[in-house]
């Protein structure tokens, strides 16, 4: 049974460009950055002045009298007040918001770091599914041909009916494996299509790149690399924001001053027009913001502990990912160099011997199963290697900020077809 090949071939670079433009997770993280930037603008604003208008000395029996509004028998007071913040509160609020904005930006970069690793995994999962489908389709075709040949030999009296039945059973199993491989490929296509925003074209997606080559030198991790990792940088920014928030809480003990000026127009009592000024300050007689300061101190301690935890976790992730990448490369190298060639030689020898009557059907079927399993083991080793490389680079934070923040203006074309 022929396998219908998808028409939309994507290289990993194509998939990355589409992901940059269409990733829902990246868009949400950019919106969060916009919100944090709006908070920064809000934090830097000075309090607005307050205008109040009061009317008094209105008699309930005589009313306000006749004439224009200016000559009514009442006392009109216009007052303008301005809160003057002291203790650098405005500057401290701005510093807190700026640090929180930086943390949000770094968190957006961390989303990009993790999502890009997911993208690479989805890309190579699709390649694995495609390769498995090809292997199992060839196996199913081989068994179909074997059934046809066995039917001819049965008519000629060369084999027993039980041998044909055994071939038929294996052919059915191979066809079922091929159908499952088709379903696995469809699931992999859906997973990749979601990441690149091509859900409606999922069934048309296929990979164009080969597996990552063996022997790639792994980049090394140093203190500067770990410090630049997005989640570590975000934790550092949160600590800075918490430190500035503590200073802001302490500044609450510096009294703000409210300054006011007023104009009074009083028709009922002279003088007709008068002016006044006023100043008000809070009196810390019962409470001096002890709770806010203690809360800020606790938040700062928590932020510093969280920063230390994230730094330790990042170092552990790098070491673990490096070991996994080296191990995956060694397994792939062994599988490609020894496992698959040996299985192919055994299968060819079994086919040759069976055709000439020197080997039985059981030996042939065992050799074919071994070859098929070896082919799938090699494919899995290649996928494990590709994923391990992506995990190690993600652990280092390589390319995360650029991948997430600098999205291209237009989508990529794939193999001459506009996705």
């Amino acid at each position: 049974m022929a396998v219908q090949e998808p028409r939309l071939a994507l290289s990993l670079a194509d998939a990355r460009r589409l992901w940059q433009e269409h990733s829902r997770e990246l868009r949400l993280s950019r919106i969060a950055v916009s919100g944090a930037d709006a908070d920064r603008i809000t934090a830097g604003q000075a309090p607005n002045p307050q205008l109040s208008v009061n009317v008094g000395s209105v008699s309930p029996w005589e009313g306000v009298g006749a004439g224009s509004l200016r000559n009514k028998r009442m006392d009109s007071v216009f007052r303008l007040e301005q809160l003057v913040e002291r203790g650098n509160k405005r500057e401290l609020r701005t510093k807190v918001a700026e640090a929180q904005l930086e943390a949000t930006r770094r968190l957006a970069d961390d989303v990009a770091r993790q999502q890009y690793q997911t993208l690479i995994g989805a890309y190579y999962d699709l390649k694995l599914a495609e390769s498995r489908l090809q292997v199992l389709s060839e196996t199913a075709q081989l068994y179909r041909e074997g059934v046809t040949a066995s039917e001819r030999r049965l008519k000629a009296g060369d084999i027993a009916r039980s041998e044909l039945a055994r071939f038929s059973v294996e052919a059915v199993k191979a066809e079922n494996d091929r159908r499952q491989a088709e379903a696995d490929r469809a699931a992999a296509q859906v997973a990749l299509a979601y990441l690149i925003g091509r859900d409606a074209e999922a069934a048309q997606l296929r990979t164009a790149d080969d597996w990552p080559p063996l022997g790639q030198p792994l980049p090394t991790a140093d203190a500067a690399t770990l410090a630049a990792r997005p989640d570590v940088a975000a934790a550092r920014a949160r600590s800075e924001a918490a430190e500035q928030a503590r200073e802001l809480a302490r500044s609450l003990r510096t009294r703000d001053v409210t300054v006011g000026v007023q104009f009074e127009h009083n028709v009922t009592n002279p003088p007709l027009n008068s002016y006044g000024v006023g100043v008000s300050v809070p009196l810390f007689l019962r409470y001096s913001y002890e709770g806010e300061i203690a809360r800020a101190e606790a938040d700062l301690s928590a932020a510093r502990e969280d920063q230390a935890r994230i730094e330790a976790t990042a170092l552990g992730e790098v070491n673990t990912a490096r070991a996994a990448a080296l191990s995956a490369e060694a397994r792939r190298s062994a599988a490609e160099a020894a496992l698959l060639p040996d299985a192919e030689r055994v299968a060819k020898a079994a086919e040759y011997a069976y055709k000439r009557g020197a080997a039985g059907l059981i030996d042939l079927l065992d050799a074919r199963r071994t070859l098929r399993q070896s082919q799938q083991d090699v494919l899995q080793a290649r996928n494990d290697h590709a994923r391990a490389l992506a995990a190690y680079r993600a652990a280092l934070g390589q390319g995360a900020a650029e991948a997430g923040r600098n999205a291209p203006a237009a989508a990529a074309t794939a193999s001459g077809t506009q996705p």
Side-chain angles (χ1 to χ4, degrees):
M1 179 178 179
V3 178
Q4 183 179 2
E5 287 296 327
R7 297 189 301 273
L8 189 57
L10 290 176
S11 68
L12 186 56
D14 294 330
R16 172 174 170 165
R17 286 191 291 269
L18 290 169
W19 165 75
Q20 286 175 322
E21 184 167 327
H22 299 289
S23 170
R24 298 165 178 89
E25 288 75 16
L26 291 185
R27 286 203 295 267
L28 285 172
S29 65
R30 291 167 189 153
I31 291 171
V33 171
S34 299
D37 191 44
D39 292 338
R40 177 191 60 81
I41 296 173
T42 302
Q45 303 308 307
N48 285 319
Q50 297 288 328
L51 175 64
S52 61
V53 179
N54 299 287
V55 176
S57 301
V58 177
S59 172
W61 297 280
E62 298 179 359
V64 295
S68 65
L69 182 63
R70 181 177 178 81
N71 295 321
K72 298 293 185 183
R73 290 194 300 272
M74 59 185 180
D75 182 14
S76 304
V77 179
F78 298 86
R79 183 173 182 83
L80 182 66
E81 294 182 326
Q82 174 66 58
L83 175 65
V84 180
E85 293 183 306
R86 300 173 63 242
N88 295 323
K89 293 184 180 67
R90 181 182 175 187
E91 292 80 358
L92 289 170
R93 280 200 312 271
T94 301
K95 289 180 179 180
V96 170
E98 287 174 346
Q100 290 173 342
L101 172 59
E102 178 63 15
T104 306
R105 284 173 175 161
R106 295 307 177 190
L107 287 176
D109 293 341
D110 196 51
V111 170
R113 175 181 72 91
Q114 297 179 44
Q115 286 295 307
Y116 187 50
Q117 180 186 354
T118 302
L119 174 71
I120 295 176
Y123 185 86
Y124 285 114
D125 281 351
L126 176 56
K127 186 165 189 65
L128 173 64
E130 292 170 344
S131 301
R132 278 180 169 168
L133 178 58
Q134 181 180 355
V135 168
L136 294 174
S137 296
E138 292 172 354
T139 301
Q141 178 63 27
L142 182 62
Y143 276 110
R144 285 194 296 270
E145 293 172 355
V147 169
T148 302
S150 296
E151 288 174 346
R152 289 197 300 265
R153 294 181 65 184
L154 179 64
K155 291 178 181 179
D158 292 341
I159 62 172
R161 183 170 295 277
S162 61
E163 191 165 324
L164 173 60
R166 176 65 67 87
F167 254 118
S168 299
V169 169
E170 294 298 327
V172 171
K173 290 181 179 179
E175 184 62 25
N176 287 338
D177 289 343
R178 187 199 64 78
R179 292 192 182 99
Q180 182 60 51
E182 276 194 329
D184 293 341
R185 185 187 66 174
Q189 288 172 323
V190 170
L192 180 60
Y194 170 82
L195 293 171
I196 63 176
R198 287 294 185 266
D199 306 80
E201 301 167 305
Q204 301 303 319
L205 297 180
R206 66 181 178 90
T207 60
D209 285 355
D210 201 356
W211 298 102
L214 290 169
Q216 296 185 68
L218 293 180
T220 56
D222 52 22
T225 301
L226 288 175
R229 211 175 99 146
D231 55 344
V232 174
R236 194 164 56 247
R238 286 195 297 268
S239 294
E240 173 64 20
E243 188 170 348
Q244 296 298 331
R246 179 189 62 178
E247 297 304 315
L248 178 59
R250 289 174 175 175
S251 73
L252 294 175
R253 286 180 171 173
T254 302
R255 292 172 173 82
D256 295 337
V257 177
T258 301
V259 179
V261 296
Q262 75 175 37
F263 167 74
E264 182 174 0
H265 179 70
N266 192 347
V267 177
T268 60
N269 294 304
L272 184 63
N273 297 319
S274 62
Y275 303 88
V277 296
V279 176
S280 64
V281 295
L283 300 177
F284 298 161
L285 300 179
R286 297 183 178 87
Y287 184 63
S288 298
Y289 297 100
E290 293 87 357
E292 285 82 351
I293 295 173
R295 176 77 256 183
E297 292 282 1
D299 290 343
L300 176 58
S301 297
R304 287 174 174 171
E305 287 295 329
D306 190 54
Q307 179 183 347
R309 177 189 64 82
I310 290 176
E311 289 172 349
T313 301
L315 179 59
E317 285 181 3
V318 169
N319 293 333
T320 301
R322 182 178 180 85
L326 292 173
S327 176
E329 183 174 30
R331 293 197 307 272
R332 175 185 170 184
S333 179
E336 291 181 346
L339 179 63
L340 184 58
D342 288 346
E344 288 174 343
R345 282 192 292 269
V346 170
K348 287 180 181 178
E351 296 281 353
Y352 182 84
Y354 177 75
K355 289 179 181 178
R356 284 155 180 78
L361 177 62
I362 299 299
D363 295 330
L364 174 63
L365 295 180
D366 285 344
R368 286 184 177 179
R369 292 192 195 99
T370 300
L371 175 59
R372 181 175 62 185
Q373 186 59 50
S374 298
Q375 290 171 327
Q376 296 197 64
D377 288 344
V378 168
L379 292 175
Q380 187 61 57
R382 290 170 178 169
N383 182 259
D384 292 343
H385 179 229
R387 278 181 159 272
L389 287 178
Y392 181 60
R393 294 194 175 103
L396 294 178
Q398 288 190 345
E402 181 181 356
R405 203 181 293 174
N406 300 328
T413 58
S415 299
T417 303
Q418 182 71 26

